[in-house]
């Protein structure tokens, strides 16, 4: 059975978020299907990334988006009611090339990852599955509430357009997957008859391997440092939680680690050389996690499932996070601690740090839970079943 996968990103395995999800899904899907992978990207794809993916794909097709044409498409399609996050990836020339590719390959099923790529395949009379992953309209709505007055109008408009599009494109696909029930319910709104299949993320099992690293990082935040939700969380950690710790005369060092740190974060971290360090563009995340005692995720503007929490638990860290983060990982509620205010975070961090050695048994139970429930093989199985059983074919391509 030939599976045509289209993604709005190249799933390079060293990246995070949607790229990581698709990379591991492809590994599992390749056990059952012959994969033709089609990717849109605005960046140069490395040979290492291609090398990592080739063993799992019959063929890989990369289509480059250029910045000058992207701006034109975004402006043009706003008048057609398309959200910017869809217009950004839509290119008429590439659409024709993908049309020719689908005709020549004659796939049995199309798997579209993210609504950003849906315009390329939504009209084909083939069995199709759309992976929403997260609810983009919810994340943009949260961003609108927490951005400057100068950009709030844009994010409010984008959120409304995304919500409308998320519902409209639903009918063009046979099956629909999403990470969490919260994201699904926000898309469905008052229409409770809209079904989604929950396809959770998994965990790279290498995080579960024991290491002899010294736990010399008191507090760790790890994530892509160009994402708005992560930038907001780091600012809260440094501007609010750090002073709360100092008011309690607790001297703990914070490490901020991750890819592509924004200049504003670099500047902020530079104001606190005695308390905060930056580890940018980490090559091996596992090494950093296994050096940390407390992993803190005060994220309130994100959606979906935070894989960074799974990685932290698998690495033996204590986890203190927001309720928003825990909502995407309901099964872990017994193994993480929730906070909302700076004082609550400070109290829990100090408590967890002081009792770190005594809590080893509970942390090992958390690792066992993650190992049992968050393997990519187990959590990709519902997607495999959807693709296998969806047979509807409406006519010639």
């Amino acid at each position: 059975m030939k599976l045509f996968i289209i993604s709005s990103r190249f799933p390079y395995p060293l990246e995070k978020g949607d790229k990581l999800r698709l990379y591991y899904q492809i590994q599992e899907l390749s056990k059952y299907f012959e994969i033709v992978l089609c990717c849109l990207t605005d960046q140069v794809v490395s040979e290492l990334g291609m090398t990592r993916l080739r063993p799992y794909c019959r063929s890989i097709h990369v289509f480059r988006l250029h910045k000058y044409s992207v701006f034109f498409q975004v402006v043009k399609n706003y008048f057609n009611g398309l959200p910017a996050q869809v217009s950004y990836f839509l290119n008429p020339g590439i659409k024709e090339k993908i049309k020719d590719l689908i005709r020549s390959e004659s796939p049995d099923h199309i798997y579209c990852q993210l609504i950003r790529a849906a315009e390329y395949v939504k009209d084909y009379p083939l069995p199709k599955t759309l992976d929403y992953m997260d609810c983009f309209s919810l994340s943009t709505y949260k961003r609108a509430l927490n951005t400057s007055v100068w950009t709030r109008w844009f994010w409010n408009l984008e959120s409304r357009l995304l919500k409308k599009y998320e519902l409209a494109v639903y009918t063009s696909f046979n099956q629909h997957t999403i990470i969490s029930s919260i994201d699904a319910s926000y898309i469905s709104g008052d229409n409770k008859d809209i079904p989604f299949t929950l396809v959770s993320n998994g965990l790279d099992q290498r995080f579960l391997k024991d290491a002899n690293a010294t736990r010399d990082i008191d507090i760790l935040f790890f994530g892509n440092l160009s994402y708005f939700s992560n930038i907001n969380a780091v600012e809260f950690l440094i501007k609010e939680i750090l002073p709360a710790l100092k008011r309690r005369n607790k001297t703990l060092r914070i490490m901020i680690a991750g890819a592509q740190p924004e200049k504003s974060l670099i500047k902020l971290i530079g104001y606190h050389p005695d308390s905060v360090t930056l580890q940018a563009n980490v090559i091996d995340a596992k090494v950093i996690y296994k050096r940390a005692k407390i992993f803190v995720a005060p994220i309130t503007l994100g959606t979906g499932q935070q894989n960074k929490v799974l990685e932290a638990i698998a690495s033996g860290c204590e986890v203190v996070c927001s309720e928003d983060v825990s909502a995407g990982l309901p099964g872990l509620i017994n193994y993480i601690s929730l906070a909302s205010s700076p004082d609550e975070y400070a109290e829990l961090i100090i408590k967890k740090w002081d009792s770190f050695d005594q809590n080893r048994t509970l942390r090992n139970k958390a690792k066992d839970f993650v190992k049992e429930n968050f393997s990519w093989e187990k959590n990709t199985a519902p997607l495999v079943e959807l693709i296998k059983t969806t047979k509807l074919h409406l006519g010639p391509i």
Side-chain angles (χ1 to χ4, degrees), residues 92-141:
I94 294 175
K95 191 172 183 179
E96 282 301 310
K97 292 178 181 178
I98 291 175
K99 181 179 180 180
D100 292 340
L101 182 60
I102 291 176
R103 281 179 172 172
S104 64
E105 291 288 354
S106 297
D108 299 292
H109 195 108
I110 295 176
Y111 175 47
C112 177
Q113 207 218 21
L114 306 188
I115 61 170
R116 294 167 177 166
E119 288 295 305
Y120 285 96
V121 295
K122 67 182 180 68
D123 296 324
Y124 287 104
L126 291 168
K128 299 187 295 293
T129 297
L130 173 61
D131 180 28
Y132 283 79
M133 192 174 76
D134 300 336
C135 176
F136 288 1
S137 60
L138 177 56
S139 62
T140 50
Y141 171 73

Side-chain angles (χ1 to χ4, degrees), residues 32-217:
Y32 306 92
F33 311 110
E34 189 179 24
I35 294 176
V36 176
L37 177 62
C38 177
C39 304
L40 310 164
T41 181
D42 56 7
Q43 299 177 350
V44 176
V45 172
S46 71
E47 183 56 34
L48 175 60
M50 294 290 287
T51 300
R52 293 283 183 89
L53 279 167
R54 283 193 185 105
Y56 309 109
C57 300
R58 177 180 182 271
S59 60
I60 301 173
H61 307 268
V62 178
F63 296 97
R64 183 76 187 276
L65 298 164
H66 296 283
K67 304 275 183 168
Y68 66 87
S69 62
V70 163
F71 176 77
F72 173 75
Q73 290 298 324
V74 169
V75 174
K76 172 187 171 184
N77 287 307
Y78 245 74
F79 293 101
N80 297 326
L82 280 183
Q85 292 195 52
V86 176
S87 299
Y88 184 96
F89 295 94
L90 184 57
N91 180 287
I94 294 175
K95 191 172 183 179
E96 282 301 310
K97 292 178 181 178
I98 291 175
K99 181 179 180 180
D100 292 340
L101 182 60
I102 291 176
R103 281 179 172 172
S104 64
E105 291 288 354
S106 297
D108 299 292
H109 195 108
I110 295 176
Y111 175 47
C112 177
Q113 207 218 21
L114 306 188
I115 61 170
R116 294 167 177 166
E119 288 295 305
Y120 285 96
V121 295
K122 67 182 180 68
D123 296 324
Y124 287 104
L126 291 168
K128 299 187 295 293
T129 297
L130 173 61
D131 180 28
Y132 283 79
M133 192 174 76
D134 300 336
C135 176
F136 288 1
S137 60
L138 177 56
S139 62
T140 50
Y141 171 73
K142 288 183 176 182
R143 182 159 187 173
L145 296 176
N146 292 272
T147 193
S148 70
V149 67
W150 306 108
T151 57
R152 190 171 301 154
W153 67 271
F154 168 79
W155 292 110
N156 276 322
L157 175 60
E158 180 72 355
S159 180
R160 290 195 298 270
L161 291 176
L162 278 167
K163 190 162 183 65
K164 183 178 179 181
Y165 186 81
E166 284 166 342
L167 285 171
V169 78
Y170 185 97
T171 58
S172 298
F173 291 80
N174 308 101
Q175 303 289 355
H176 315 83
T177 62
I178 202 162
I179 281 183
S180 77
S181 57
I182 292 176
D183 291 79
S185 64
Y186 191 85
I187 292 175
S188 302
D190 295 330
N191 189 349
K192 303 303 181 185
D193 296 328
I194 296 181
F196 284 90
T197 298
L198 296 185
V199 176
S200 176
N201 278 344
L203 173 75
D204 184 338
Q205 298 296 293
R206 290 175 297 176
F207 280 93
L208 291 161
K209 293 182 179 179
D210 292 329
N212 296 321
T214 302
R215 298 277 177 177
D216 58 348
I217 300 173

Side-chain angles (χ1 to χ4, degrees), residues 227-247:
Y227 289 177
F228 182 76
S229 58
N230 287 343
I231 294 170
N232 179 267
V234 172
E235 289 176 346
F236 182 78
L237 175 55
I238 296 175
K239 294 180 179 180
E240 304 292 339
I241 298 176
L242 179 58
L245 288 168
K246 289 183 176 180
R247 287 196 297 270

Side-chain angles (χ1 to χ4, degrees), residues 368-388:
D368 291 341
F369 182 87
V370 166
K371 181 179 181 179
E372 182 178 349
N373 292 279
F374 290 94
S375 71
W376 282 106
E377 180 179 10
K378 178 178 180 177
N379 289 346
T380 308
L383 175 60
V384 171
E385 192 62 24
L386 279 183
I387 295 171
K388 280 184 175 180

Side-chain angles (χ1 to χ4, degrees), residues 252-363:
L252 298 177
R253 287 193 59 82
I254 299 171
M255 176 176 283
I256 308 298
Q260 302 172 320
E262 285 283 307
K263 290 182 179 178
S264 61
L265 282 188
I266 296 173
K267 187 176 181 180
L268 176 62
I269 292 168
Y271 289 145
H272 304 273
D274 296 330
S275 304
V276 189
T277 57
L278 173 64
Q279 188 74 45
N281 303 313
V282 176
I283 295 176
D284 190 350
K286 298 182 294 298
V287 174
I288 301 295
Y289 277 112
K290 293 182 185 299
R291 288 173 52 198
K293 288 186 176 181
I294 317 294
F295 183 82
V296 179
I299 300 170
T300 57
L301 304 184
T303 57
Q305 193 176 81
Q306 299 293 334
N307 257 46
K308 55 178 70 74
V309 172
L310 297 178
E311 293 166 352
I313 291 174
S315 302
C317 302
E318 297 281 355
V319 174
V320 182
C321 64
S322 67
E323 188 174 347
D324 288 49
V325 170
S326 70
L329 297 161
L332 292 174
I333 193 64
N334 293 327
Y335 305 107
I336 57 180
S337 298
L338 306 185
S340 56
S341 70
D343 287 329
E344 287 178 358
Y345 274 102
E347 292 290 349
L348 284 169
I349 289 169
I350 292 171
K351 179 181 177 181
K352 295 292 184 182
W353 193 89
D354 287 340
S355 60
F356 185 80
D357 291 335
Q358 296 94 302
N359 289 341
R360 186 186 304 274
T361 300
L362 183 59
R363 292 200 303 276

